[in-house]
Amino acid sequence: MDLANCPRCGRLFARHFRDICQNCYAEIEKEYEVCTEYLRKNKGATITVLSEETGVSIKQITRFIKEGRISLYNAPNLSYPCEVCGVLIREGNMCGNCLNRLRAEVQNATAGSDRHEGPLSRRTYQIGDRLRDKE
Ligand SMILES: [Zn+2]
Ligand SMILES: [Zn+2]
């Protein structure tokens, strides 16, 4: 049996089908229903209002959106935070600013790769690590 600690509540559970325990799975399904129900009645809700009114965390709502379970198409004011700076966006993982900055840093790091590792390329790696941590 494949036992693991649930990343959401920390309890030990048998990992068969999911990465989280049955309890958390049921809770998330409930949160999903509350969110979609609220959005059905309030199509113009923003993520802040949705989170406040339903008690579901912005992080979880963001996950629903990224999983494609909550569609932005039907919710014109709904957006989610950029993974780096937290500015609200409607597509991708990062806002345009952060994307440009990351691209520029990667480019600089690649251009300087003949030389020994400068502080710039190290910083790029750190940004990469930070993004992975949030997964
Ligand atoms: Zn759990
Ligand atoms: Zn950003």
Side-chain angles (χ1 to χ4, degrees), residues 108-109 112-125:
N108 280 337
S113 64
D114 291 345
R115 284 172 284 140
H116 62 85
E117 249 184 49
L120 196 60
S121 59
R122 219 168 344 194
R123 200 161 73 223
T124 308
Y125 291 138

Side-chain angles (χ1 to χ4, degrees), residues 5-11 13 19-25:
N5 282 314
C6 171
R8 195 168 178 271
C9 68
R11 277 200 340 208
F13 76 111
D19 295 333
I20 54 172
C21 75
Q22 185 61 39
N23 253 9
C24 289
Y25 178 77

Side-chain angles (χ1 to χ4, degrees), residues 82 84-85 95 98:
C82 161
V84 181
C85 71
C95 71
C98 291

Side-chain angles (χ1 to χ4, degrees), residues 5 14 29 38-39 48 62 68 73 86 101 107-109 119-120 123 128:
N5 282 314
E29 288 309 293
Y38 185 83
L39 280 175
T48 321
T62 303
Y73 183 74
R101 200 167 59 223
Q107 232 159 38
N108 280 337
L120 196 60
R123 200 161 73 223

Side-chain angles (χ1 to χ4, degrees), residues 4 15 42 71 90-91 96 115 122 124 135:
R15 186 162 57 188
N42 307 275
S71 162
R90 278 175 68 86
E91 56 182 4
R115 284 172 284 140
R122 219 168 344 194
T124 308
E135 280 302 296

